[in-house]
Amino acid sequence: MTASKRVVHVISHTHWDREWYMPYEAHHVKLIETMDTLLDTFEADPDFRSFYLDGQTIILDDYLQVYPEKRDQIQKLCDEGKLSLGPWYILQDEFLTSSEANVRNLQIGHRDAAKFGPISKLGYFPDSFGNMGQAAQLLRQAGIDTAVFGRGVKATGFNNRVEDSSGLESPFSELIWQAPDGSSVLGILFANWYNNGMEIPVDPQKAKPYWEHRLARAMHYASTSQLLLMNGCDHQPIQTNLSEALRVARELFPDFEFVHSSFDDYIKAVQSEQPPSLSLTRGELRGQQTDGWYSLVNTASARVYIKQLNQRNQTLLEKVAEPISAIAHQLGKPYPHGLFQYAWKTLMQNHPHDSICGCSVDEVYHEMQTRFAKSMEVGKALTNESAKFISTKMNTSHFAAFGESAAPFVVFNTSGYEGSSVLTVEIEWSHRFFDQSENPVAVAELVKERTHADGYLVNADGDRIAFTVQDLGVRFGYELPNDKFRQPYMARALSITFETGTLPSMGYSSFAWIPSKNESKPANDTRESLLAGKATLENRHLRLTVEEDGSYVVYDKHSRQLFLDLGHYENVGDIGNEYIFKQPAGDLPITTKGSKAEIRVVEDTPYRAAIEIVHCLSIPARADDLLAEEVRTMVEFRQRKAGRSDLLAPLVIVTRVSLEREGKGVHVHARIENQSMDHRLRVLLPSDILATTHFADSIFEVAERQNVPSKEWENPSNCQHMQAFIDVHADQRGLTVAGKGLNEYEVLQDGRNTIALTLLRAVGELGDWGVFHTPDAQCLGANEAEWMIIPYGDEADRFHAYREAYRFPIPLTAIGTGLHDGELAAAHDFLKWNGDQLAFSSLKINEARGDSMARWYNMAGSETRLAVQPNAASHAYVSTIMEDAGSELINDTVQVEGYKIVTIGLPAASE
């Protein structure tokens, strides 16, 4: 520690949750007042030097939406270095937003901040509910070398040094934070939170004890003579008399230098004195060295329906709309950058931690559902337009050999992984357009008379394939041409279900419905059924048997491993809140184990078979009456004595387990009719694998986590976050469980390493600092959940299982087309790649250069090779998450170091 005069950096800020304990517009009004006061303060006080706008550019979007005429005033403050903007668009929850959403957040934040001047190059995570392990790598690729954060690791101070830090603790507020690939940044922990300098007194009698306490606390953790005091808090009004308060402080404490500072100045000062031996903290910061009560991980299961909408929205934009629009761009269609910016911004307005985490008042989620719907409508429209454009470039003329009434359609796979799926697609044929002079009823009757639902299905090679068809009758539709008025029509519509066969990893295959009065069944629909018994499904990879209590046994034929007792449901009480799960004392789980279930076969086709399982549990209808009183009087959740009510209500769970002919995993869908409050429902999946760690899909990594928490952990629950999947493996046995918008799991210490996946958590209050009732968070009524069980054998099979898990939630895109010539073959792959242990992440178009940008990441610690086969006329290069130009690849290959995120630029062929 240097002996020089200590410098107190007072940084003015406000942490702005756009919506939380009030709806967005109520907070919006307060934001306008706060920003007005800030601008007035800058105008009136020349000594008010700087203000940090919470690291998120959306604050200015929200303000300028109301006062666009104040843009020049804000620009002037940015030019003078008084306002600092970026690097994010919003302050997201890192674990509940996808890898690509975290990147788009940085990209859009940088883009918007750059319009005003220099971008704040600070990784700002003031209130994230845990921090992603790859943060340092992402920040470094964005040109950021410092991060500040408020959670996930605890500083222990000079008098409590930790010699064995276990990689998660630091004696100081400053530390080195390292990503799994070895990238590192200077990490600064808000050891005294981000409000340790708020509301500084001007009265000397009040100021003296104020400063004595805060200076002592700051010195307790600081590794340098530079002390950080954050002058602000959540929705904190501007301290308009700050200059006077600092003048008083200088008089009272002449041995300290008080500066109204900025993060840029503070970090430069810390770096100039940075000790050579700061603690090294690796990977995720999830509060694992605490008592476990305030990690806030259970926000991952608050309002599961919101997480499911988010997963669908993110997947639509990054895994469907962007790649299919990039393909269309390669073929000559302009890429809709502006609309993607709008769709992503609308989605990311749902990504602040108090929003996506489900820990706000009910009105917030009404507006969030509207935002999801708006963003997804844009994504669907962009997908449809691009798919149509590509389909016009295809040669479908070979289907004319089956007759001029053949109805071709195209199925796109944009997951980045080859694979086969069962798909239901609606097609239309025999379109009859009409105008206002014609009677629509007569037109519909005409189409009905000349069409029928009989026929067969062929693939791109002209081979007949198995299908089932449902006649949707004659229906109305319309087209919106670019060169004339809308065109209404009537057409025969069919719903066809079939297995696609192996689709290209980033491309399409074509099919055609062949109307035929003489043949209503395919020639090969007599293949062996996947139903191998009254309650057994079997293909060449797996065998599944449903037991009398509705649980199921899965046998993996390749590894010869048997998995027992899968699929029991567990229900317990929850007297916590949206942030934290708390099971009542003495509460015993209610499970389906040993109960009688209704079991019946609901599908038996050549390509898929399914069994439906119906459970009806009697569970308490709510918590007992004491909980309402404890909530009203703000009894801290750990001190609550409430239990579950004696009044019972039915909990009906209808589960469908299905196996596809080429499927390598078991698909499970559950429909949950919830009539109870204050409880949690999980599905239990015993792995029976002897392992001390497990692996969870996270942000650009498959994170290895301990099954048993640290010795400091007191919370009986040890739930964790996941993105796409959770995996337990050892030796020759592995079990991966993938989910769609299911973000919370726990590996139980029950001797079987059971994976417990949370499907529903019902609570009635927000929690935190006040009493905010949230009846919608009880999730009454119909709820749904989907997951996939993927067993496998040795280490070599593990990454194949992960790819199946990544592919699981990504929908295929189908579009009808006509009979025509074209430059593209009946099936085509636009981005061929290979690389062991690599995960594909995204394909989009760079706005500045028009290059295709494709991204992968290494799921393992060992180096591997990525080989890309783009258009032969292009010259691929290595880029960053910010899509900078980089060095050209040799032979279109690149070595990818362990846990590295790699972005490849693919210039347009014309270049």
Side-chain angles (χ1 to χ4, degrees):
M1 171 67 68
T2 179
S4 62
K5 189 175 184 179
R6 290 185 171 90
V7 180
V8 182
H9 295 262
V10 178
I11 297 180
S12 293
H13 79 109
T14 184
H15 176 52
W16 204 266
D17 302 296
R18 293 182 80 237
E19 49 197 9
W20 181 19
Y21 53 88
M22 297 191 300
Y24 163 67
E25 292 299 351
H27 279 302
H28 194 191
V29 170
K30 300 302 295 182
L31 173 66
I32 302 305
E33 295 173 359
T34 301
M35 288 296 296
D36 284 347
T37 303
L38 175 62
L39 298 185
D40 291 345
T41 303
F42 273 127
E43 188 75 22
D45 183 0
D47 292 330
F48 193 89
R49 297 182 56 245
S50 176
F51 193 86
Y52 193 70
L53 275 179
D54 207 30
Q56 50 179 337
T57 61
I58 197 172
I59 288 179
L60 284 191
D61 279 3
D62 291 343
Y63 184 63
L64 294 175
Q65 180 184 29
V66 176
Y67 289 126
E69 67 273 15
K70 296 191 178 182
R71 183 183 182 88
D72 290 345
Q73 188 177 357
I74 289 171
Q75 182 66 66
K76 180 174 180 290
L77 291 170
C78 292
D79 293 342
E80 295 170 351
K82 292 184 176 181
L83 274 184
S84 184
L85 306 183
W88 305 103
Y89 174 61
I90 52 91
L91 290 183
Q92 79 282 28
D93 185 272
E94 301 157 55
F95 287 114
L96 294 179
T97 54
S98 70
S99 299
E100 289 299 326
N102 276 277
V103 169
R104 297 299 180 282
N105 193 4
L106 266 178
Q107 290 174 337
I108 292 175
H110 275 60
R111 182 180 185 272
D112 287 358
K115 297 173 184 176
F116 291 90
I119 302 164
S120 171
K121 288 293 188 176
L122 174 67
Y124 196 62
F125 306 97
D127 198 17
S128 295
F129 301 164
N131 297 106
M132 54 188 167
Q134 289 281 33
Q137 184 177 178
L138 292 173
L139 295 177
R140 279 292 184 179
Q141 289 199 23
I144 298 172
D145 63 7
T146 304
V148 295
F149 47 89
R151 299 182 189 272
V153 60
K154 62 181 182 181
T156 54
F158 295 127
N159 298 322
N160 188 25
R161 285 191 74 116
V162 177
E163 298 302 329
D164 179 9
S165 68
S166 301
L168 283 172
E169 298 197 47
S170 168
F172 303 119
S173 53
E174 298 83 27
L175 51 90
I176 301 300
W177 187 13
Q178 187 179 81
D181 76 311
S183 302
S184 63
V185 296
L186 172 64
I188 298 173
L189 171 69
F190 289 133
N192 295 297
W193 206 229
Y194 52 73
N195 66 348
N196 65 327
M198 66 184 286
E199 299 180 352
I200 301 172
V202 172
D203 182 346
Q205 289 187 333
K206 295 179 180 178
K208 191 172 187 300
Y210 175 99
W211 283 113
E212 286 175 342
H213 173 72
R214 282 159 177 78
L215 292 175
R217 293 289 296 172
M219 289 187 291
H220 187 68
Y221 295 112
S223 66
T224 72
S225 65
Q226 311 297 318
L227 308 181
L228 175 62
L229 274 86
M230 297 294 290
N231 178 235
C233 196
D234 303 345
H235 309 115
Q236 176 73 29
I238 310 302
Q239 183 166 355
T240 56
N241 64 353
L242 178 63
S243 296
E244 176 63 15
L246 293 181
R247 184 191 64 76
V248 171
R250 294 181 187 110
E251 292 178 355
L252 291 173
F253 298 90
D255 292 337
F256 292 83
E257 180 181 352
F258 291 86
V259 180
H260 190 204
S261 191
S262 66
F263 270 116
D264 285 348
D265 291 342
Y266 166 67
I267 290 167
K268 287 177 185 175
V270 169
Q271 289 175 338
S272 70
E273 299 180 17
Q274 183 175 323
S277 57
L278 290 177
S279 294
L280 179 66
T281 296
R282 296 182 175 91
E284 297 178 315
L285 307 180
R286 297 180 297 112
Q288 293 301 105
Q289 304 298 118
T290 68
D291 64 12
W293 283 112
Y294 283 93
S295 69
L296 308 186
V297 67
N298 299 123
T299 55
S301 57
R303 303 182 192 259
V304 169
Y305 66 94
I306 286 293
K307 277 69 170 179
Q308 292 168 327
L309 283 171
N310 182 57
Q311 181 271 320
R312 287 200 288 271
N313 200 159
Q314 290 176 153
T315 301
L316 173 62
L317 291 184
E318 70 193 48
K319 298 296 193 291
V320 180
E322 284 183 336
I324 208 166
S325 297
I327 292 170
H329 175 76
Q330 294 171 14
L331 298 173
K333 188 178 189 298
Y335 190 81
H337 292 286
L339 284 168
F340 273 120
Q341 291 275 347
Y342 172 74
W344 271 110
K345 279 190 167 185
T346 304
L347 167 59
M348 287 194 291
Q349 287 165 21
N350 286 345
H351 284 177
H353 55 266
D354 291 312
S355 304
I356 193 60
C357 285
C359 51
S360 293
V361 293
D362 288 343
E363 294 86 345
V364 167
Y365 299 96
H366 304 161
E367 184 157 1
M368 284 180 67
Q369 287 173 295
T370 299
R371 292 190 201 117
F372 283 132
K374 291 171 65 175
S375 178
M376 284 192 277
E377 283 300 325
V378 175
K380 291 172 186 175
L382 296 180
T383 298
N384 190 55
E385 289 300 314
S386 292
K388 280 184 178 178
F389 180 84
I390 298 167
S391 71
T392 64
K393 305 288 185 179
M394 292 171 44
N395 186 350
T396 60
S397 61
H398 61 291
F399 289 125
F402 297 96
E404 62 180 17
S405 61
F409 61 94
V410 189
V411 177
F412 292 88
N413 172 31
T414 50
S415 68
Y417 307 105
E418 289 185 349
S420 176
S421 298
V422 171
L423 172 69
T424 296
V425 58
E426 291 187 4
I427 69 162
E428 295 176 340
W429 67 287
S430 192
H431 295 72
R432 172 64 163 82
F433 291 88
F434 62 92
D435 58 31
Q436 292 180 346
S437 67
E438 297 180 272
N439 182 350
V441 176
V443 173
E445 187 63 28
L446 175 65
V447 174
K448 181 179 179 181
E449 289 176 357
R450 74 185 189 189
T451 60
H452 51 80
D454 295 334
Y456 57 93
L457 186 65
V458 297
N459 61 19
D461 296 325
D463 299 326
R464 298 188 187 195
I465 57 177
F467 68 92
T468 53
V469 62
Q470 179 186 359
D471 185 6
L472 302 178
V474 176
R475 71 183 184 188
F476 167 80
Y478 61 90
E479 293 182 358
L480 299 174
N482 292 329
D483 57 352
K484 55 184 175 180
F485 195 53
R486 61 179 180 252
Q487 302 289 295
Y489 64 79
M490 294 291 180
R492 171 73 71 169
L494 304 174
S495 176
I496 303 171
T497 302
F498 64 102
E499 190 165 37
T500 62
T502 301
L503 294 173
S505 62
M506 184 59 66
Y508 65 83
S509 189
S510 57
F511 302 84
W513 173 253
I514 312 300
S516 173
K517 268 289 188 182
N518 300 321
E519 298 183 69
S520 60
K521 294 182 179 182
N524 59 349
D525 69 354
T526 57
R527 287 185 300 173
E528 183 179 349
S529 168
L530 298 174
L531 191 64
K534 186 172 69 172
T536 298
L537 310 179
E538 185 170 3
N539 66 12
R540 64 192 179 95
H541 304 293
L542 303 170
R543 184 173 68 243
L544 175 144
T545 300
V546 178
E547 306 288 8
E548 288 188 0
D549 64 0
S551 65
Y552 31 96
V553 175
V554 174
Y555 177 68
D556 178 20
K557 296 182 179 181
H558 300 291
S559 67
R560 299 182 179 179
Q561 295 291 328
L562 188 67
F563 295 84
L564 304 171
D565 300 321
L566 300 171
H568 290 300
Y569 293 104
E570 171 209 75
N571 183 260
V572 298
D574 188 348
I575 57 171
N577 52 50
E578 290 183 317
Y579 291 96
I580 301 167
F581 164 76
K582 176 66 168 66
Q583 189 172 354
D587 178 43
L588 297 177
I590 300 169
T591 76
T592 58
K593 187 177 179 63
S595 64
K596 185 70 175 176
E598 297 178 24
I599 302 167
R600 55 182 171 269
V601 175
V602 291
E603 185 177 19
D604 181 14
T605 67
Y607 49 80
R608 183 173 63 192
I611 295 174
E612 184 178 84
I613 307 160
V614 181
H615 290 101
C616 186
L617 289 175
S618 290
I619 67 171
R622 58 179 178 269
D624 62 29
D625 294 340
L626 179 58
L627 180 60
E629 177 65 15
E630 291 177 328
V631 169
R632 186 184 68 82
T633 56
M634 292 182 65
V635 174
E636 202 262 352
F637 69 92
R638 287 177 293 184
Q639 308 305 316
R640 291 177 181 175
K641 306 298 183 185
R644 303 188 78 176
S645 170
D646 293 330
L647 180 66
L648 299 181
L651 177 64
V652 178
I653 308 169
V654 180
T655 306
R656 175 189 166 106
V657 293
S658 62
L659 189 64
E660 298 177 1
R661 178 163 295 279
E662 297 301 323
K664 298 176 182 176
V666 176
H667 291 245
V668 188
H669 175 277
R671 187 175 72 250
I672 305 156
E673 293 293 336
N674 178 37
Q675 299 182 38
S676 295
M677 299 183 288
D678 312 314
H679 67 109
R680 182 185 69 183
L681 178 69
R682 303 196 292 190
V683 62
L684 305 181
L685 304 162
S687 71
D688 290 316
I689 295 169
L690 297 176
T692 59
T693 64
H694 64 274
F695 294 77
D697 180 48
S698 190
I699 306 305
F700 288 113
E701 71 167 325
V702 179
E704 184 175 9
R705 298 172 181 166
Q706 297 293 320
N707 294 350
V708 179
S710 68
K711 61 181 182 299
E712 295 93 343
W713 198 268
E714 297 176 4
N715 189 344
S717 171
N718 184 27
C719 291
Q720 308 292 343
H721 292 95
M722 77 175 196
Q723 280 282 318
F725 61 82
I726 160 68
D727 170 70
V728 182
H729 69 268
D731 299 326
Q732 302 298 308
R733 183 180 174 92
L735 183 66
T736 298
V737 178
K740 292 185 180 181
L742 302 176
N743 296 116
E744 182 184 276
Y745 73 90
E746 183 176 7
V747 177
L748 302 181
Q749 300 310 295
D750 58 353
R752 303 185 69 180
N753 274 343
T754 294
I755 297 170
L757 190 62
T758 305
L759 309 181
L760 173 71
R761 193 164 74 87
V763 293
E765 68 152 338
L766 189 156
D768 205 337
W769 63 275
V771 179
F772 303 98
H773 298 290
T774 57
D776 287 1
Q778 296 285 8
C779 300
L780 296 172
N783 294 265
E784 295 188 13
E786 289 185 72
W787 61 98
M788 185 180 186
I789 301 167
I790 310 167
Y792 63 92
D794 57 22
E795 182 73 10
D797 296 327
R798 178 161 70 104
F799 297 110
H800 294 294
Y802 292 175
R803 289 180 178 181
E804 286 296 310
Y806 283 132
R807 197 168 66 87
F808 169 58
I810 302 172
L812 302 175
T813 300
I815 194 81
T817 189
L819 293 170
H820 47 69
D821 294 329
E823 64 195 69
L824 296 176
H828 186 68
D829 197 337
F830 292 91
L831 183 64
K832 295 181 180 179
W833 68 275
N834 60 72
D836 295 338
Q837 70 205 35
L838 291 177
F840 178 80
S841 190
S842 69
L843 175 68
K844 63 184 289 289
I845 300 298
N846 171 266
E847 186 171 6
R849 298 184 301 280
D851 296 346
S852 297
M853 309 302 298
R855 186 158 30 254
W856 293 261
Y857 55 96
N858 192 342
M859 295 180 282
S862 57
E863 186 178 74
T864 190
R865 186 179 71 96
L866 168 65
V868 183
Q869 298 178 40
N871 187 297
S874 68
H875 301 280
Y877 58 89
V878 177
S879 182
T880 68
I881 63 165
M882 305 307 288
E883 302 180 3
D884 309 308
S887 58
E888 188 174 320
L889 291 175
I890 300 174
N891 296 324
D892 296 328
T893 64
V894 62
Q895 293 299 121
V896 184
E897 298 173 6
Y899 304 119
K900 185 67 74 176
I901 304 163
V902 60
T903 304
I904 304 297
L906 306 169
S910 61
E911 299 179 5

